[in-house]
Amino acid sequence: MNDIHRTAPASASARSNVRRVVSAKGIEAWLVEEYAVPVIAVEFAFTSGAADEPAAKSGVTSLLSELLTEGAGPYDSIAFHQRLDDLAIELSFSGRLDSFAGSLRTLSRNRDAAFEMLGLALNQAEIGAEAVERVRGQTLAGLKHELKDPGAVSAKTWFAASFGAHGYARPADGDLATVPGISRQDVLARRAELFRRDRLKIAVVGAIDEATLAARLDELFGAMPLVGEAPALAAPRFAGLGETKIVDIDVPQCTIRFGSPGFKRDDPDFIAAAVGNHILGGGSFTSRLWQEVRESRGLAYSVQSWLQPLRQFGLFMAYTATSNARAHEAVAIIKGEVARFAADGPSADELAKAKQYLMGSYALRFDTSSKIAGELLSIQLFGQPIDFPQRYPALVDALGLADIKRASARLLGNGDMLTVIAGRPDKA
């Protein structure tokens, strides 16, 4: 196995040894210093994303994320990627709904070169006209391909129907109407708007000490403005609850997406709701939806539900795919199970097994350097305390049946959801 992907140290140690590092310029990162594996993983994000974009420029944040590695400093696009490959450096960026994120993986022996390449991408990316044209063309090709992808169509239709004119209604990669009009100047303006130190969260795991990391933080981010006027993202209103929308696509199998308002991450019932959702649809092979939809009836290969917390809203979501002939049957079964769980909650045995699984499996989020850094970044983005990884098992263990029933009833209400079916379901 390549060193850069080797397993990290014991998860219990990683969860208990998280330290704040603050640079001379006041830039903060959470660090797990560990030398057992010669790897450094860095995850960071600015807390502004695609949802903050002007509607007419939808996709500009995603376009920026693709362009930062298309030539920077003394390297053109080919030379930049060649240097990353030669040194086994993994560097990527992504424009998400609520954030603009970056990720770096490197062997410790290539640390200096890796941080140099990250710094060039952040601070000296050329974003040339030719690169903008090329990446924009690639994006448009992908968007055209998605027109016939029932999974993509169901997701985009669902969010558009749910959130209307709000930024959450728009796909992070834009659409065929907006992407052609995004110019180089739009991308440069978005970079200047995004890269502000007051919106920055950072997690670092691996073979690097506090003093070295602090100096690197200032080199990477210190030249960025401290503060800036963040775009205002209002809380959205949810629409379409209880409705079913069918998008006609000539495919043999329907993709079905369900959803309703859920909890933001700071809701006091979020963890209880997450435990309840594990029993309802989050736990593969054991969940109620899995048992009723796949095991008992053979309606689908996969079915799942999850909580999706956003900065200004929370969602409860579910998904499956089944044959056109049985799509309405699958919808009815899933809606029925959601409504029953909302009304009755789980059994004591279901709760005991879910708690045991969730407390035990939490360690798997901390079994590689990359996973640890990603989890620590997520905790920061959702405003959780630095000791949350240590506290999580006890928080789950303390939950009783009444807590899960209360949270599930709040989360699911009467079981109404917005349902989108992409395909050609038989009429019923």
Side-chain angles (χ1 to χ4, degrees):
M1 182 182 293
N2 190 311
D3 282 346
I4 201 168
H5 292 126
R6 284 173 57 190
T7 301
S11 63
S13 174
R15 283 182 278 165
S16 62
N17 291 326
V18 187
R19 302 196 300 276
R20 284 188 177 89
V21 175
V22 181
S23 74
K25 293 186 176 181
I27 301 168
E28 179 180 315
W30 290 7
L31 170 66
V32 175
E33 185 177 347
E34 176 56 58
Y35 297 90
V37 178
V39 170
I40 300 170
V42 181
E43 297 284 343
F44 63 91
F46 298 92
T47 56
S48 179
D52 299 319
E53 300 168 343
K57 301 298 180 182
S58 178
V60 66
T61 305
S62 179
L63 203 61
L64 171 64
S65 71
E66 298 293 331
L67 286 162
L68 290 182
T69 57
E70 292 300 312
Y75 305 102
D76 63 15
S77 177
I78 294 175
F80 192 96
H81 286 282
Q82 187 62 57
R83 183 162 172 77
L84 295 179
D85 290 344
D86 289 345
L87 297 174
I89 297 168
E90 298 178 3
L91 174 61
S92 63
F93 301 91
S94 60
R96 307 167 183 173
L97 276 180
D98 276 335
S99 65
F100 183 93
S103 177
L104 176 70
R105 308 282 183 278
T106 182
L107 298 170
S108 57
R109 66 173 178 264
N110 296 331
R111 181 191 69 193
D112 292 345
F115 280 114
E116 175 200 12
M117 298 304 285
L118 174 57
L120 290 174
L122 287 170
N123 299 298
Q124 298 184 42
E126 182 181 352
I127 309 183
E130 182 276 332
V132 171
E133 185 68 23
R134 173 166 41 82
V135 174
R136 185 171 52 207
Q138 294 168 352
T139 300
L140 290 170
L143 291 172
K144 290 175 182 176
H145 175 76
E146 289 180 350
L147 294 175
K148 297 182 180 180
D149 179 349
V153 169
S154 65
K156 291 182 178 183
T157 303
W158 192 92
F159 277 89
S162 299
F163 294 120
H166 192 273
Y168 287 152
R170 302 189 295 270
D173 53 356
D175 58 50
L176 293 173
T178 60
V179 172
I182 297 174
S183 69
R184 177 175 183 266
Q185 289 304 314
D186 294 326
V187 178
L188 294 173
R190 185 60 176 146
R191 178 173 64 175
E193 185 178 57
L194 276 172
F195 291 1
R196 306 283 181 158
R197 281 152 47 196
D198 63 329
R199 302 178 199 163
L200 181 59
K201 307 293 183 183
I202 309 168
V204 181
V205 176
I208 186 169
D209 61 74
E210 293 186 33
T212 302
L213 175 59
R216 293 298 187 184
L217 294 176
D218 282 346
E219 292 171 6
L220 292 170
F221 304 105
M224 296 177 183
L226 176 59
V227 297
E229 184 177 348
L233 184 66
R237 292 187 177 185
F238 191 91
L241 201 62
E243 298 179 5
T244 297
K245 298 182 180 295
I246 298 175
V247 185
D248 181 73
I249 302 180
D250 187 9
V251 290
Q253 180 170 273
C254 289
T255 296
I256 310 169
R257 190 170 299 268
F258 310 80
S260 59
F263 296 159
K264 292 171 63 178
R265 187 59 186 82
D266 59 359
D267 190 289
D269 272 339
F270 184 89
I271 293 179
V275 174
N277 176 71
H278 177 82
I279 299 166
L280 172 61
S284 297
F285 310 116
T286 61
S287 74
R288 289 193 182 184
L289 292 183
W290 180 276
Q291 292 297 321
E292 292 301 320
V293 174
R294 174 168 171 162
E295 293 299 313
S296 297
R297 296 173 175 83
L299 288 171
Y301 178 78
S302 177
V303 58
Q304 60 183 317
S305 64
W306 64 94
L307 304 187
Q308 184 169 339
L310 299 168
R311 182 169 17 129
Q312 294 292 352
F313 206 75
L315 294 169
F316 166 76
M317 302 291 294
Y319 165 92
T320 195
T322 189
S323 66
N324 287 333
R326 305 191 73 181
H328 288 293
E329 181 185 0
V331 169
I333 296 299
I334 291 172
K335 286 184 175 180
E337 284 303 311
V338 170
R340 274 188 286 277
F341 199 84
D344 302 329
S347 68
D349 182 60
E350 285 177 318
L351 176 57
K353 290 178 179 177
K355 288 167 61 173
Q356 182 180 28
Y357 174 84
L358 291 170
M359 288 187 292
S361 65
Y362 188 63
L364 297 178
R365 303 187 194 183
F366 296 85
D367 64 355
T368 70
S369 299
S370 298
K371 284 185 182 180
I372 298 167
E375 186 69 13
L376 294 179
L377 178 64
S378 178
I379 290 169
Q380 291 183 69
L381 289 172
F382 286 119
Q384 303 302 306
I386 196 168
D387 64 345
F388 180 80
Q390 294 172 263
R391 296 171 53 210
Y392 174 82
L395 293 172
V396 172
D397 194 35
L399 294 170
L401 201 58
D403 299 312
I404 308 303
K405 289 183 176 181
R406 180 193 65 250
S408 299
R410 280 190 59 211
L411 176 72
L412 302 173
N414 63 5
D416 279 348
M417 297 180 287
L418 169 64
T419 305
V420 171
I421 306 173
R424 288 189 171 172
D426 287 355
K427 294 182 179 180

